[in-house]
Amino acid sequence: MSEEVREISEMKYTPKDVVDIISQFRNMYSKLDSKIKQFVRTQPTFLNEIRQKLKTDIGFLSPQKKDMALSIFGIIITEDILKSYEPHFFADDISSLLNATDKKMSCTDDEFVGLLASFINILKSIKKSTEIIIQNFIDLRKKGIHNDVIETLLIQRNFSPALSEANLHFEVGEFEVDMRFLTAIFAYFIELSLEQSEIIESAESAGKLYAKAISKYPISKGEDIFYDMINTILIEPYLSQLNQALSSAVEVSQVIQKEEIDRFEPEEEIATQPAFIQGRMEKVLRIFQDSLSKRLKVGKEIDESWKMQIESNIEMILDWKAVNEFGKKDLDEQHHYLRYLFDIWFEVFEEYPQMSLPIIEIEQFTKFIDNPEIFIEETKKAITHKLTSIVQEKTKDDGFTPRSLAVAFTSISFELLTNPEVLSITFGE
Amino acid sequence: MENENQLKDNTLSVFLISYPQKELDINTQIIEIIGGKKLITDDTIKAKREMDLEKLNINNLFSESNILFKASRYAFVNVDNIDEEINNKIYVLRNSTRDFTLLNIIIGPFVDLNLEGAIGEIQSLTQSLTGVFRRTEFQKESEIIADINQKIEIKRNLEKLSKFYNWQIFEEGSLREKSEDSEITPMITSAFLVRAQIIKDRMKCMGECQRIYSKDLTPEGVKCECGGDLVLIPPDLNLEEISFVYPEDLVEIVGENNVESPSRLFKYLQKSEIPKELLSPFSQFSVLKLTNLITVPSKVKFQVKATSDIIDLTFGYKKQESDEILIFGFITDTRYSDSRLISSESLNKIMNAIFANLTDQTAWEETIRKTDLEKWKVTPFVKIKYIEKYPSLLDTHAIEHRGAGNE
Ligand SMILES: [Zn+2]
């Protein structure tokens, strides 16, 4: 059973939460204007060089927008968002971006900044998701699943959710974008990876690939076309080339996998435990999500069965983590249990940052709202310190046993969950 | 692995699709039989059965209203041998969009298809095919492709998508979990017991007229008057009498407008039965031995169109001596959360008590008194042909005062 949890989760692409995408857009948008101005001020030589190179390619832009666009190119290069990005490719892509969003004829400078913000985020996002999907593809091939099934699985569980995510990057800026443009960016990153494996000589620009996609596929909007469009623009043209490119990776990792299995065979039971822990952890997170989104909001009280479920799952995870690390339960050195408990706690906070609110200083509240993930990462030490003293108070004479810690964890979580401040904030809904 | 292949080879998965051919004002149908290597031994049989199925009017099966049929599971009962355990189950899943109606029928020896999960997959599969439809429709209008290419493309994509669907059922197992956690725990709103008569030995014309002949009216020989071949069809149930069980305050709980009349409650049961016209083509797969088997619903899922709430029917049955069967069922609903209703979490316990105590029709009320529904009202048995006569559940109690005759 634990094995299944692992397998299923590995083979699909899990898109980012819409809240993250919104904050990513806001962040980028609010900084971009000053970033552009700064770039114009500090990098005049770079800008002039590029301007000379792209004289004709970006002739369709007004002088003001030309500066903005060229600075964005500079930012993409200097901030290492793309390692190698040809200036001509960039010109193609910007022109396609305006076509795909219907902004070629009229676009205010403000809208243009928004578009560029979405564009940078999209490049980051699609680059990352293409990498993940290619890795999933390798894993799927290792499992020896039938090709037809792999193709459909790649579309339905990988490219489709990744494409939805990509589209969100525009939606949050209130732009409507041609789906074929987004798909063409996926094609671009696939071509880049084929270029690296020397299967093709050189990748074409996303802009060129967009033009190809338009001639191949006549419809531009609607979620119902995802399957068919991805099949036409990504799977049919690239799958066999990807197969070719990855065949060595599949073979090598099959060898490694076999070696790993040989090495771990005698301790088979232990090797399966992390998946078990992961499965339990997912259960705990689900219970929290349930409580945050449903029970508390409609005013229902958390009942005893909720507490029992959390307690028993936490106790089990603590025991398993001990077995996993030391090969036995009932550790004498009890501080390990506390360490495990904090691993769990931060996993919960990562998912539901608002739960950490009552334990942080009130002055830091705005910093928290700005970017909860980063804030938690930064204040991990302080939170740990504060929680440790609360846990100590709760466990008192019992010491840190899986049982006492599970009980303490549950009662503290309950207090955090019912805190009115926590309930007033929604993340990830 | 070997077990999974066994299961796959013994399971039939069939897709029926209907979509409009706009310029001609008719519907195109696509039938696809997948798997079942042990059941379909050669391609001509497969082609023949696909032709049988193509005669069905797919849009009319489980037709739409404000309550949508989503998914169901049926068990089989041998008419001649009560105690014989039949491994096969039949699952029906349905989804329709503006353009498409899609039915998936699975017959196989496993009980744990996760209906909720399978509905989700069927919805995603239908959506994908609508995309292919929309694209090819566009290409037809620009005269890039012809009608027949559209059908070929949809069929080709259906083949691919259904392979993935079957893989999730048989190999990955992700659609085969026992637990069907839904977000909200539904409440039992009512229960019922139906007495049904088994009708068997009927013949059906497979030719033009599709007529059904009862045992004593079957013409001599093996041909119908129209010249078509006659075949034996599966036994059927004639629903005769029904009694309802409901909480006294039902009207108050669900609100004046939502309270179900006897005939409306009965509609759920009627819609839960597997349509005869759907079953008879399957009886042509002789290995399934459907001509000896009654198909009894065990779980049916409906969705309230306006709010996406779920109405579930859960059934059990007791076969009686002679050609009679008692079917009891429970309606659970996510729309209500009143504490005077009983949570569906008690359903298994109640079902078990009924299995254990229900001997015949007369023991119904007494059996209910031994369950968590003990305080609920039990109506007298109403003849189904007169069910329209009772505007409310309360009206049925008048039968008690007037005696047995409820005409
Ligand atoms: Zn006939």
Side-chain angles (χ1 to χ4, degrees):
Chain A
M1 191 209 96
S2 53
E3 196 65 14
E4 264 172 25
V5 171
R6 195 177 60 83
E7 275 191 25
I8 292 167
S9 62
E10 258 181 22
M11 291 190 287
K12 71 175 181 210
Y13 179 78
T14 313
K16 257 198 195 149
D17 202 278
V18 60
V19 181
D20 294 338
I21 292 176
I22 292 175
S23 71
Q24 210 181 329
F25 176 76
R26 281 192 189 148
N27 244 327
M28 186 59 80
Y29 181 74
S30 63
K31 280 190 227 145
L32 211 53
D33 205 33
S34 60
K35 264 192 172 179
I36 289 171
K37 285 188 180 121
Q38 198 196 355
F39 201 88
V40 172
R41 212 172 46 238
T42 56
Q43 307 274 352
T45 357
F46 179 91
L47 280 179
N48 272 331
E49 257 172 50
I50 300 293
R51 200 190 313 267
Q52 286 310 312
K53 262 191 199 164
L54 295 179
K55 218 170 191 168
T56 50
D57 303 64
I58 53 167
F60 58 91
L61 291 174
S62 68
Q64 167 86 0
K65 290 202 181 78
K66 250 179 220 162
D67 268 355
M68 290 157 87
L70 293 176
S71 315
I72 291 298
F73 177 69
I75 291 166
I76 292 174
I77 296 296
T78 52
E79 292 192 2
D80 233 10
I81 292 165
L82 291 189
K83 284 216 162 54
S84 57
Y85 196 20
E86 290 274 328
H88 294 282
F89 278 27
F90 174 71
D92 272 356
D93 294 355
I94 292 299
S95 165
S96 302
L97 170 70
L98 291 170
N99 280 329
T101 49
D102 235 351
K103 293 285 177 204
K104 194 107 188 198
M105 302 313 282
S106 86
C107 179
T108 65
D109 286 353
D110 216 28
E111 280 177 324
F112 195 56
V113 176
L115 275 181
L116 293 173
S118 290
F119 182 64
I120 293 181
N121 285 338
I122 266 273
L123 287 179
K124 283 189 196 167
S125 153
I126 297 184
K127 180 176 178 236
K128 184 92 186 290
S129 42
T130 309
E131 278 165 14
I132 294 172
I133 293 172
I134 289 178
Q135 189 52 50
N136 284 354
F137 180 47
I138 297 175
D139 290 346
L140 283 165
R141 288 210 31 208
K142 280 192 288 190
K143 291 191 163 76
I145 297 167
H146 194 280
N147 277 341
D148 270 2
V149 172
I150 293 188
E151 280 181 29
T152 317
L153 197 148
L154 279 179
I155 302 174
Q156 304 290 63
R157 287 194 193 166
N158 289 274
F159 282 114
S160 279
L163 182 60
S164 293
E165 177 187 311
N167 184 39
L168 269 181
H169 282 284
F170 278 100
E171 269 187 1
V172 297
E174 288 173 27
F175 299 109
E176 202 178 2
V177 63
D178 185 337
M179 293 299 162
R180 295 168 296 187
F181 177 61
L182 301 179
T183 315
I185 301 178
F186 279 97
Y188 167 69
F189 284 109
I190 292 175
E191 288 209 352
L192 270 189
S193 104
L194 291 173
E195 182 190 304
Q196 275 161 15
S197 347
E198 293 174 4
I199 301 288
I200 59 170
E201 205 182 305
S202 60
E204 288 193 275
S205 71
K208 287 253 157 44
L209 292 168
Y210 174 47
K212 274 191 182 174
I214 291 175
S215 70
K216 258 190 194 169
Y217 203 82
I219 310 176
S220 62
K221 289 189 174 77
E223 226 176 297
D224 60 336
I225 60 168
F226 279 17
Y227 162 84
D228 192 38
M229 182 183 62
I230 292 167
N231 196 23
T232 312
I233 302 179
L234 299 180
I235 299 293
E236 279 170 7
Y238 297 118
L239 201 73
S240 66
Q241 287 178 321
L242 271 177
N243 255 323
Q244 212 183 322
L246 302 174
S247 58
S248 56
V250 172
E251 276 158 28
V252 168
S253 54
Q254 262 168 347
V255 172
I256 293 173
Q257 216 190 20
K258 201 181 170 305
E259 279 172 4
E260 275 174 2
I261 290 168
D262 289 347
R263 203 144 32 94
F264 284 117
E265 208 111 69
E267 296 166 86
E268 198 179 14
E269 209 188 336
I270 288 174
T272 60
Q273 281 157 21
F276 173 86
I277 294 172
Q278 190 195 327
R280 282 285 140 199
M281 197 55 219
E282 274 164 15
K283 196 158 183 191
V284 170
L285 290 174
R286 261 208 310 278
I287 299 171
F288 276 115
Q289 189 199 1
D290 239 21
S291 334
L292 277 168
S293 64
K294 269 206 331 254
R295 291 170 181 252
L296 296 168
K297 289 237 170 89
V298 296
K300 282 189 186 168
E301 294 272 335
I302 289 179
D303 56 20
E304 275 317 298
S305 84
W306 180 89
K307 289 188 179 170
M308 268 167 60
Q309 277 189 60
I310 296 275
E311 271 172 21
S312 61
N313 278 300
I314 296 294
E315 195 180 351
M316 246 185 271
I317 296 173
L318 294 176
D319 270 331
W320 276 106
K321 278 185 183 257
V323 176
N324 190 43
E325 192 175 358
F326 300 101
K328 60 168 188 170
K329 285 187 187 179
D330 301 316
L331 303 180
D332 294 324
E333 290 172 303
Q334 294 189 327
H335 63 268
H336 291 302
Y337 287 125
L338 193 63
R339 177 163 58 88
Y340 300 148
L341 190 75
F342 281 116
D343 290 347
I344 298 171
W345 230 320
F346 282 102
E347 251 189 279
V348 173
F349 287 155
E350 219 171 344
E351 283 294 310
Y352 308 108
Q354 66 269 47
M355 279 184 61
S356 67
L357 247 165
I359 14 175
I360 60 172
E361 302 300 332
I362 201 70
E363 306 89 88
Q364 295 176 306
F365 187 71
T366 43
K367 207 174 164 196
F368 171 84
I369 294 293
D370 223 335
N371 196 332
E373 276 87 349
I374 289 180
F375 176 73
I376 289 200
E377 197 48 48
E378 283 173 4
T379 45
K380 215 168 178 170
K381 248 192 175 150
I383 295 176
T384 309
H385 190 77
K386 191 142 187 198
L387 277 176
T388 308
S389 66
I390 304 176
V391 169
Q392 256 163 351
E393 209 187 300
K394 294 247 177 210
T395 50
K396 277 182 194 143
D397 302 333
D398 296 335
F400 298 151
T401 67
R403 179 81 208 141
S404 74
L405 288 178
V407 172
F409 175 90
T410 308
S411 116
I412 297 167
S413 297
F414 176 79
E415 284 166 31
L416 295 178
L417 272 174
T418 47
N419 184 299
E421 244 169 40
V422 175
L423 291 179
S424 69
I425 297 180
T426 29
F427 287 93
E429 283 214 340
Chain B
M1 211 46 170
E2 206 173 287
N3 264 336
E4 277 151 14
N5 275 331
Q6 275 271 344
L7 190 56
K8 200 168 152 187
D9 293 346
N10 284 300
T11 301
L12 210 59
S13 181
V14 179
F15 284 87
L16 312 172
I17 289 177
S18 168
Y19 63 90
Q21 208 170 308
K22 280 169 186 150
E23 56 285 2
L24 292 177
D25 210 21
I26 53 163
N27 270 10
T28 301
Q29 308 218 117
I30 292 178
I31 312 294
E32 185 76 42
I33 301 177
I34 300 137
K37 270 192 213 142
K38 291 252 171 70
L39 307 179
I40 315 170
T41 40
D42 70 86
D43 283 351
T44 45
I45 294 182
K46 187 172 157 181
K48 231 176 160 177
R49 297 293 82 92
E50 288 184 349
M51 273 164 62
D52 289 345
L53 288 160
E54 208 157 334
K55 289 180 189 147
L56 288 171
N57 187 339
I58 295 156
N59 286 324
N60 286 358
L61 297 166
F62 306 97
S63 61
E64 309 265 83
S65 64
N66 53 344
I67 306 285
L68 312 176
F69 174 95
K70 282 287 164 190
S72 59
R73 181 176 66 239
Y74 300 89
F76 293 112
V77 186
N78 189 326
V79 266
D80 303 316
N81 182 359
I82 312 176
D83 299 320
E84 190 191 343
E85 184 106 7
I86 317 283
N87 283 328
N88 273 343
K89 298 282 174 283
I90 173 163
Y91 299 88
V92 180
L93 294 114
R94 182 183 194 276
N95 186 36
S96 71
T97 64
R98 199 161 44 90
D99 294 315
F100 264 71
T101 300
L102 182 144
L103 273 177
N104 169 226
I105 293 127
I106 303 171
I107 304 181
F110 57 100
V111 294
D112 57 350
L113 184 76
N114 184 320
L115 293 181
E116 297 271 2
I119 291 171
E121 273 310 305
I122 287 294
Q123 278 167 345
S124 131
L125 187 149
T126 319
Q127 175 169 302
S128 300
L129 287 177
T130 352
V132 179
F133 172 76
R134 208 148 70 83
R135 188 251 307 164
T136 48
E137 200 65 8
F138 191 94
Q139 291 173 324
K140 260 166 64 184
E141 273 160 31
S142 349
E143 293 179 340
I144 297 169
I145 62 165
D147 277 347
I148 182 71
N149 301 79
Q150 182 176 44
K151 186 168 178 174
I152 290 169
E153 283 225 38
I154 293 177
K155 206 170 153 92
R156 190 171 55 87
N157 282 288
L158 169 64
E159 247 170 68
K160 250 177 92 168
L161 288 159
S162 58
K163 265 187 201 160
F164 176 53
Y165 176 68
N166 278 359
W167 175 81
Q168 292 177 79
I169 297 174
F170 298 112
E171 266 120 296
E172 189 194 38
S174 56
L175 297 179
R176 288 263 303 286
E177 294 139 55
K178 271 267 160 71
S179 69
E180 296 199 0
D181 296 350
S182 76
E183 297 223 329
I184 308 162
T185 309
M187 302 300 265
I188 305 173
T189 57
S190 50
F192 53 79
L193 177 72
V194 179
R195 183 176 63 78
Q197 197 70 35
I198 298 163
I199 318 164
K200 47 186 183 182
D201 304 325
R202 291 174 315 157
M203 306 288 274
K204 185 185 178 188
C205 168
M206 296 306 282
E208 278 305 307
C209 77
Q210 300 273 308
R211 198 178 140 185
I212 292 172
Y213 293 94
S214 69
K215 195 178 182 181
D216 23 303
L217 290 174
T218 310
E220 296 289 315
V222 288
K223 292 274 182 198
C224 168
E225 286 160 3
C226 80
D229 288 328
L230 286 178
V231 295
L232 191 64
I233 55 169
D236 199 6
L237 292 175
N238 208 2
L239 309 181
E240 310 224 310
E241 287 186 308
I242 188 163
S243 157
F244 297 99
V245 182
Y246 62 99
E248 185 154 21
D249 302 326
L250 190 64
V251 181
E252 206 180 304
I253 296 166
V254 303
E256 207 68 61
N257 296 327
N258 291 324
V259 74
E260 307 277 10
S261 66
S263 61
R264 266 170 64 188
L265 283 173
F266 176 66
K267 276 253 156 57
Y268 287 115
L269 170 64
Q270 231 174 0
K271 284 186 154 194
S272 300
E273 283 188 291
I274 191 155
K276 294 183 198 53
E277 57 271 43
L278 180 60
L279 204 56
S280 53
F282 284 99
S283 64
Q284 298 306 299
F285 291 99
S286 51
V287 273
L288 294 174
K289 299 195 176 81
L290 291 188
T291 45
N292 301 324
L293 304 177
I294 321 166
T295 310
V296 192
S298 55
K299 186 94 188 168
V300 184
K301 283 187 167 300
F302 296 100
Q303 191 183 354
V304 182
K305 203 175 188 176
T307 61
S308 297
D309 275 291
I310 302 291
I311 300 177
D312 272 4
L313 269 76
T314 311
F315 297 89
Y317 63 85
K318 275 251 165 149
K319 184 147 182 313
Q320 301 289 286
E321 296 302 322
S322 77
D323 285 341
E324 244 177 52
I325 185 166
L326 296 176
I327 299 172
F328 51 95
F330 299 86
I331 302 180
T332 63
D333 200 318
T334 58
R335 284 177 295 180
Y336 313 113
S337 61
D338 196 284
S339 61
R340 285 166 289 183
L341 298 173
I342 308 275
S343 155
S344 66
E345 281 161 6
S346 317
L347 204 55
N348 278 341
K349 203 174 122 203
I350 298 171
M351 296 270 287
N352 288 339
I354 293 178
F355 275 120
N357 297 306
L358 186 70
T359 46
D360 58 28
Q361 189 179 352
T362 58
W364 174 236
E365 185 164 356
E366 191 189 319
T367 306
I368 287 294
R369 299 288 164 241
K370 288 174 184 152
T371 69
D372 287 359
L373 306 180
E374 59 182 329
K375 296 213 174 72
W376 285 19
K377 296 198 78 141
V378 180
T379 76
F381 281 86
V382 174
K383 288 222 167 71
I384 280 158
K385 56 182 166 179
Y386 299 120
I387 199 159
E388 299 280 355
K389 286 188 177 177
Y390 303 94
S392 77
L393 288 166
L394 208 61
D395 294 317
T396 61
H397 294 282
I399 301 167
E400 268 166 342
H401 306 301
R402 282 196 280 121
N406 54 354
E407 259 95 311

